[in-house]
Amino acid sequence: MRDVYIAAAAVEPFGKHPDRNAGELGQAALRRLFASIDLDPGRVDIGFGGSTFGGSLLTQRAMQGVGISGPPMFTIENACASGGSAVNLAFSAVAAGSSDCAIAFGAENLSSLGGGALPLSAKDIEADLGMVMPAAYAMRAQRYLSDFGAKSDVLDAVTEKNRANGAHNPRAHFQKTVTVDEVRASRSVADPLRLLHCCPNTDGAAALLIGTRELIEELGQPAVRIVASITRSGQFNNGYRDMTWPDITARSATAAYAMAGIQPGDVDFAELHDAFSISELLHAEALGFADRGDAHRRTLNGDFHRGGPLPLNPSGGLLSRGHPVGATGVTQICESYWQLVGESEPELQLGSVRTALTHVTGGGIFGVDNGACSIHILRSE
Amino acid sequence: MITVAPERTTSPKQHIRSAGGNHVVEADGTVRLRITRCSRCESMWFPARDVCGSCGSTDISADLVGPTGTVYAATIVRVDAPGGYRGPYVLAYLDVDGVRTLAHMHADGGAVIAPGLPIRLESRIVADDADTVVYSYVALPIRGDLL
């Protein structure tokens, strides 16, 4: 397997873009990507676009906007992990030697769906009974708080932390801090989750150029290697699952750490899937960043703040950036890349960091924790 | 299949449907869930399946479980959802004789729906708007166990 590097990253700022469809948003991110490097688009030999609601042939529509047509292109739908899955496939193509210069992007326009909870498949038995994603995470939250003696204050604290991080991110949907009092005053969506415990519906796109060591040297780009790239599906189980233990994330993380040859303690910071405040606690534990049932204490202790020993979601997370479903997994990697090469905005930039983990997971279907999960580990060399 | 909806007067405009997996309504209104047991790996499935979701075996048998169980977790949903569901309504994951299933829950105001609460299943209306009436199995707290 060949070593695989990130050669360039670009994000079309997230927010409300009702006048641009997913293909147009993807084009905008790709134009930013090519504006940042001196590369003939004809060199791109494969493309993967992640999107859940972007429609047929999204990848072709977006890539045509930067003069790329002809090479193999694939549009990847894997719910919230669509973008991470697209990166995983681009990684695999370069690692296998079938591609030297690959594009992976994610793009989504959720404004076209109207407001409220994202639509789930009507064919799903739980959706047919009125299940919505906030309710699924609300039940996990109730059980987590009950099992581990945590108080709902910790959910407020996660939102406060991530919104404070996102306040410095010019690419975030929400660039404004919130206080815990404002979180508690927001309307209830599904007890114990309130509106400000939930990420917003957002439009946006992000893109990566992924290639060989030779490619980054030719472009004069810094060396950030993808040392792990993993996608897993949810294990179908109708029994008494522990819903406070996201097993798909735990299995993906075990595989990613083995691929990278590192331990959770070697990670300097992480961008993880905080679609709801409770998600950050569940995923911090499943990723090995906190002992079982201890993420709530570690959060309140400030361990996951940007000044703490393990910053989580220093770019603001989904709670600030928003969640243009297919773009989320790609933008996490863009933000982490800029941290590792020291090109984040001064207010966003962490101190000396070398190893980053990104984690995206989702898909609300019956019988699994999530439908799909992608984890990437990046290391600056 | 002997799923029976309790009698109810509906307006001519209303369409009646049943939501959730196949189940049986007993004469006293309680509900038993029609499940599948895998003979090879012993997995249990609700809704019933023709192939085991764990091992792919077709060596399976049908069974009925319920009508009692316990709440694994619950939430009061305060938004609307597609299918005619109007918030607030209560959803719960229930543990019923080895299967975990989602259901609506009806509880008196003020009743604490905490993990571990014993319930029984009955057929009730879970959504009722101008166009549609939806029936399903609904969890009700077992009185003597409410604190």
Side-chain angles (χ1 to χ4, degrees):
Chain A
M1 216 170 67
R2 299 194 296 181
D3 288 346
V4 181
Y5 292 82
I6 295 174
V11 173
E12 179 67 4
F14 289 9
K16 292 293 187 189
H17 303 294
D19 53 333
R20 287 190 287 169
N21 64 40
E24 292 165 333
L25 290 166
Q27 273 188 23
L30 290 168
R31 284 177 183 172
R32 287 177 185 270
L33 186 77
F34 279 95
S36 73
I37 47 173
D38 181 16
L39 180 74
D40 175 358
R43 293 276 300 280
V44 172
D45 51 25
I46 199 164
F48 299 93
S51 188
T52 297
F53 302 102
S56 179
L57 301 176
L58 167 81
T59 305
Q60 282 87 332
R61 286 184 277 129
M63 300 268 275
Q64 287 163 3
V66 288
I68 303 173
S69 57
M73 295 185 193
F74 304 88
T75 299
I76 309 302
E77 194 287 305
N78 231 353
C80 305
S82 297
S85 299
V87 177
N88 180 216
L89 290 167
F91 167 89
S92 298
V94 176
S98 61
S99 168
D100 295 325
C101 181
I103 290 280
F105 74 95
E108 208 80 68
N109 176 300
L110 298 183
S111 292
S112 58
L113 302 174
L118 290 178
L120 302 176
S121 168
K123 295 185 180 69
D124 184 76
I125 185 174
E126 294 189 346
D128 188 45
L129 281 165
M131 176 65 104
V132 288
M133 288 308 291
Y137 279 90
M139 286 188 271
R140 293 173 201 189
Q142 186 208 40
R143 191 74 201 199
Y144 181 89
L145 300 178
S146 169
D147 282 1
F148 299 114
K151 296 195 167 51
S152 61
D153 299 14
V154 71
L155 305 176
D156 310 333
V158 170
T159 296
E160 182 190 44
K161 170 180 75 73
N162 291 354
R163 288 292 298 269
N165 288 340
H168 301 298
N169 186 343
R171 295 164 295 279
H173 186 166
F174 291 151
Q175 299 175 31
K176 182 174 175 297
T177 59
V178 294
T179 65
V180 292
D181 288 339
E182 288 172 307
V183 179
R184 286 173 197 154
S186 64
R187 68 182 166 86
S188 184
V189 173
D191 303 1
L193 299 182
R194 295 181 174 278
L195 186 64
L196 293 180
H197 295 133
C198 308
C199 68
N201 289 351
T202 298
D203 311 319
L208 288 164
L209 185 70
I210 292 169
T212 58
R213 179 92 196 185
E214 291 73 22
L215 178 71
I216 61 162
E217 286 174 354
E218 176 190 331
L219 295 173
Q221 293 288 73
V224 172
R225 186 156 75 91
I226 302 175
V227 292
S229 178
I230 295 290
T231 298
R232 292 287 184 269
S233 64
Q235 266 180 343
F236 191 36
N237 178 347
N238 200 181
Y240 293 173
R241 288 188 295 125
D242 181 349
M243 292 181 168
T244 69
W245 181 249
D247 71 285
I248 184 173
T249 289
R251 286 185 290 110
S252 303
T254 299
Y257 291 132
M259 190 175 197
I262 66 169
Q263 302 294 320
D266 298 323
V267 173
D268 294 323
F269 70 98
E271 295 284 344
L272 59 77
H273 197 81
D274 60 329
F276 303 94
S277 296
I278 183 65
S279 318
E280 180 161 307
L281 305 177
L282 303 181
H283 295 142
E285 294 179 11
L287 291 166
F289 298 148
D291 291 338
R292 191 86 174 88
D294 200 37
H296 65 99
R297 189 190 61 78
R298 297 279 304 278
T299 296
L300 294 174
N301 199 41
D303 291 359
F304 302 138
H305 282 63
R306 64 172 37 253
L310 179 61
L312 296 183
N313 288 315
S315 78
L318 282 67
L319 289 168
S320 297
R321 291 191 316 262
H323 186 25
V325 180
T328 289
V330 183
T331 210
Q332 290 174 326
I333 296 174
C334 293
E335 296 286 351
S336 299
Y337 173 77
W338 290 320
Q339 287 283 359
L340 293 173
V341 299
E343 290 179 1
S344 296
E345 287 73 10
E347 303 81 4
L348 270 186
Q349 183 69 49
L350 299 167
S352 173
V353 285
R354 181 161 178 255
T355 304
L357 181 146
T358 70
H359 159 262
V360 65
T361 184
I365 55 171
F366 156 69
V368 298
D369 176 73
N370 280 146
C373 175
S374 288
I375 292 181
H376 288 84
I377 300 175
L378 316 177
R379 187 188 296 147
S380 63
E381 294 185 335
Chain B
M1 201 26 230
I2 43 171
T3 301
V4 178
E7 287 189 16
R8 179 178 182 280
T9 304
T10 54
S11 81
K13 288 183 181 173
Q14 284 182 313
H15 158 77
I16 301 174
R17 73 180 181 95
S18 172
N22 283 357
H23 56 282
V24 173
V25 183
E26 307 285 6
D28 64 356
T30 58
V31 165
R32 306 189 77 198
L33 306 177
R34 189 179 290 276
I35 69 153
T36 299
R37 290 182 192 277
C38 175
S39 303
R40 190 193 326 180
C41 75
E42 300 183 345
S43 293
M44 297 166 67
W45 300 96
F46 176 74
R49 302 172 57 84
D50 54 5
V51 175
C52 175
S54 286
C55 73
S57 173
T58 53
D59 184 8
I60 54 173
S61 60
D63 202 353
L64 294 172
V65 298
T68 59
T70 58
V71 171
Y72 175 78
T75 184
I76 304 172
V77 183
R78 299 185 186 276
V79 295
D80 296 342
Y85 299 102
R86 301 274 171 264
Y89 57 95
V90 179
L91 287 179
Y93 275 119
L94 308 172
D95 288 346
V96 181
D97 296 335
V99 293
R100 167 84 44 81
T101 191
L102 182 77
H104 283 247
M105 181 141 189
H106 290 178
D108 294 340
V112 176
I113 303 164
L117 182 74
I119 56 89
R120 72 174 187 283
L121 294 168
E122 290 191 8
S123 182
R124 296 284 180 99
I125 291 169
V126 294
D128 189 353
D129 67 15
D131 303 318
T132 312
V133 176
V134 183
Y135 284 91
S136 189
Y137 36 85
V138 164
L140 301 143
I142 294 174
R143 293 284 144 197
D145 295 290
L146 262 185
L147 297 176

